[in-house]
Amino acid sequence: MRLAVTLGLLTLAACPPKRGPGGGPAPVGVGCPDANNVYVASYLTPEDGGKGHTGWVLPLHDKVVESVKGVAEYATLDHAAATAAGVPAPPQSVWILAPGVAPCRATIGNYYAAAIDAPTPNLTYGIELTGCQPPPDPSNASAIAAVSADPPSECQVIGPRAVASRLGEIDKQGKWQKPAKETPIPASLAPVIPNHECAAPGCEKLWSIAQVDVGGQPVAWAGAVNWLTVSDECEWKGQRFSGFFVVGPTGAPMKVTEGQDHPLALTAVLADKTGAKVLIAEGPGEYTTYTLGAGTATVGRHLVWLLPHPDSFEALDQLGPVCPEADPGSAVSPPKP
């Protein structure tokens, strides 16, 4: 990539909003918008020495091109140029939702185009947003952008919490160590996970499961399971399974597969006094919002806003040893029986 466009996932807690500075009565708040009026904003930071906007942006469109050679890394566009490129009109009342603070109404700025120097060259388009604070970690942040005429202060952003895991660690000598403890996969989720023969010490089964609760009841899960063949290589091969799930018509977990050009990860659920309303799932350069209700997750908005390097998709469900970036040829020693 020629721009450090953030692709980070949300790390959000269901904290009550705090009043912002200033006096006078607070504006009347409303609940969550429908899924079609929920977007994902990214925090954009130019690479060292690069030019462009630093701050929130709202991605809206992507276009594959033959080459980005000679194309500006980042450029603002007028309305006519954006329309000619196929960029849809942006929403006019956008609120950035962040944990622990009141929703921030962003000011709509210029259209932009950013060149992505990937194996499939592409241009990503959107609109600049100003007036809202940067995330705690500007290098790795995204945020929910809700479209609403009134502040959605009654809408909670609830992120998944870890409920089960079996994950090893790499020690200082570069050796993979078996987990000292593990939490079993929830019984309700176990039936939807496939079975593979995997017996130690030649194979290790690893997992990571998270859950979203609304009103004290689970409404969604995210999970990844790996069955990995132990070897002297720095990255182990094997079978992988991952996905996210909602409560289906029978009350059992149901895997969500629609609205994904590539596998996505559950990042948050929006809920208000009526219950869980919208589920948001993200991946590199792509996101989908889903309407929750009646045992279904219906696609509200699906957007591929950037085409990254294909390798970026591999990290989504990788739980085992990986090759160190600084020394890709080094080996990780297998665990001791």
Side-chain angles (χ1 to χ4, degrees), residues 39-40 44 53 56-62 74-78 82 85-91 108-114 123-129 303 305:
Y39 294 69
V40 173
L44 187 151
H53 174 74
W56 292 109
V57 296
L58 192 68
L60 296 171
H61 183 58
D62 185 78
Y74 186 93
T76 57
L77 306 175
D78 60 24
V87 183
I108 304 298
N110 296 316
Y111 287 98
Y112 70 86
L123 298 175
T124 180
Y125 298 87
I127 201 82
E128 296 175 346
L129 302 175
L303 179 65
W305 57 273

Side-chain angles (χ1 to χ4, degrees), residues 109-214:
N110 296 316
Y111 287 98
Y112 70 86
I116 307 301
D117 190 7
T120 301
N122 60 110
L123 298 175
T124 180
Y125 298 87
I127 201 82
E128 296 175 346
L129 302 175
T130 59
C132 294
Q133 292 294 318
D137 180 6
S139 67
N140 184 24
S142 62
I144 294 170
V147 179
S148 176
D150 298 308
S153 54
E154 301 302 315
C155 184
Q156 281 190 310
V157 182
I158 306 175
R161 62 181 180 87
V163 294
S165 66
R166 184 178 189 270
L167 301 170
E169 295 182 352
I170 303 297
D171 63 19
K172 294 181 179 179
Q173 287 72 43
K175 295 181 179 180
W176 189 88
Q177 299 297 324
K178 294 178 65 174
K181 58 182 179 179
E182 63 184 61
T183 311
I185 296 172
S188 60
L189 199 61
V192 300
I193 296 175
N195 290 317
H196 292 284
E197 290 293 331
C198 185
C203 179
E204 289 289 346
K205 181 180 179 180
L206 307 177
W207 61 83
S208 178
I209 309 294
Q211 179 175 300
V212 177
D213 296 319
V214 175

Side-chain angles (χ1 to χ4, degrees), residues 188-289:
S188 60
L189 199 61
V192 300
I193 296 175
N195 290 317
H196 292 284
E197 290 293 331
C198 185
C203 179
E204 289 289 346
K205 181 180 179 180
L206 307 177
W207 61 83
S208 178
I209 309 294
Q211 179 175 300
V212 177
D213 296 319
V214 175
Q217 297 295 322
V219 298
W221 298 264
V225 183
N226 289 188
W227 299 264
L228 301 176
T229 301
V230 177
S231 74
D232 291 329
E233 300 296 326
C234 60
E235 185 168 328
W236 296 355
K237 306 299 182 182
Q239 301 291 326
R240 298 186 197 175
F241 172 82
S242 65
F244 59 96
F245 311 81
V246 298
V247 178
T250 65
M254 176 185 69
K255 187 175 182 180
V256 179
T257 58
E258 294 183 347
Q260 303 176 60
D261 285 14
H262 296 89
L264 303 180
L266 166 65
T267 53
V269 168
L270 301 185
D272 55 26
K273 62 183 180 181
T274 66
K277 296 286 292 294
V278 179
L279 182 148
I280 301 99
E282 290 186 70
E286 180 181 357
Y287 71 84
T288 304
T289 65

